[in-house]
Amino acid sequence: MTNVAKMIDHTLLKPEATFNDVAALVEEAKELGTYSVCVSPSMLPLPEDVELGDVKLCVVVGFPSGAVASEVKAAEAARAVAAGADEVDMVINLGYAKEHDWDALEYDIAVVRDAIPFALLKVIIESATLTDEEIVEACKCAEASGADFVKTSTGFHPAGGASVEAVKLMKETVGDELEVKASGGIRDAETAKKMIEAGATRLGLSSSRAVIEGF
C-alpha cells in the first residue's frame, strides 16, 4: 500500500477552531508526515511562529455551502494564495448542478481557476447531494475549467460524505486528466483503503492519526 500519510490533507475546519488549534494541527501533521493541512481561510496568514516545514497549506473557499457569488469565491481564493496557501478546495454552487445549468457551473469554477493560476485547485461537488448524472457532469465542468482535482464532499452536508461508489464514478469520469480527493466520514483505515482502491489519490481527514495507525 502507498504511504498513506502522503495522501492525507490533515483537516481542521470546525468554525470554532482557534489559531492555537491550527498550530497544534500543523505540529501533528509534521509528526504524522501528512501531505498538507487544510484550514479555513480566516486562519491565513498563519502566525509567524507556526512553521509548516514540508507540509503544504490547503484552504477552503466558498465553504461549506458553495452558495456565494463566483467572484467572491475567486477573491477569497486569491487572498488565500497571497497569504500562503498552496492549494484551494472550492465548493461549487450546488444549485447550478441541481438545475443542470452546466455553463453557470463551469463559470463558477473557471473564475476561481483564473484567480489562482499557479495554485492547485480542488473542486468539491458534494457528491452525496447529486445523482450519478449530476456527478458526471460536475466532474466534466471541473475538467473543462482547468481544475486539478474533484473532491467528494465538505464533510458538513447532512446528505453525507464520501462513498466508494461516488469516488469510483468520479475517477471513471475524469480518468487520468484529474485526480480525486475523498473527504467526509473517513475515520478508519478500512474505509480509507476502500476509497484508495476506488481511485482516490488524496484523502481529507480529521482522524488522520487513527487512519495511519490502522495501516
Side-chain angles (χ1 to χ4, degrees), residues 7-128:
M7 302 175 73
I8 293 174
D9 292 341
H10 190 37
T11 302
L12 177 63
L13 296 170
K14 292 179 179 178
E16 68 272 22
T18 65
F19 282 108
N20 285 338
D21 295 332
V22 170
L25 181 83
V26 171
E27 288 306 308
E28 187 173 44
K30 291 193 286 189
E31 175 196 344
L32 296 172
T34 66
Y35 182 80
S36 79
V37 290
C38 185
V39 299
S40 299
S42 61
M43 294 299 171
L44 269 61
L46 296 179
E48 289 184 5
D49 59 347
V50 176
E51 297 183 3
L52 286 163
D54 294 331
V55 178
K56 298 291 187 182
L57 179 58
C58 173
V59 173
V60 294
V61 163
F63 195 90
S65 75
V68 296
S70 303
E71 292 78 10
V72 173
K73 294 178 195 178
E76 189 175 35
R79 180 197 178 277
V81 171
D86 301 295
E87 304 186 357
V88 168
D89 289 21
M90 68 163 285
V91 187
I92 64 167
N93 187 310
L94 294 167
Y96 295 157
K98 298 310 292 184
E99 290 175 338
H100 298 182
D101 190 344
W102 307 119
D103 288 341
L105 183 57
E106 191 172 319
Y107 174 82
D108 190 48
I109 302 165
V111 292
V112 176
R113 171 77 286 172
D114 291 345
I116 52 166
F118 303 112
L120 188 141
L121 177 61
K122 308 189 202 88
V123 176
I124 307 172
I125 67 169
E126 209 69 273
S127 55

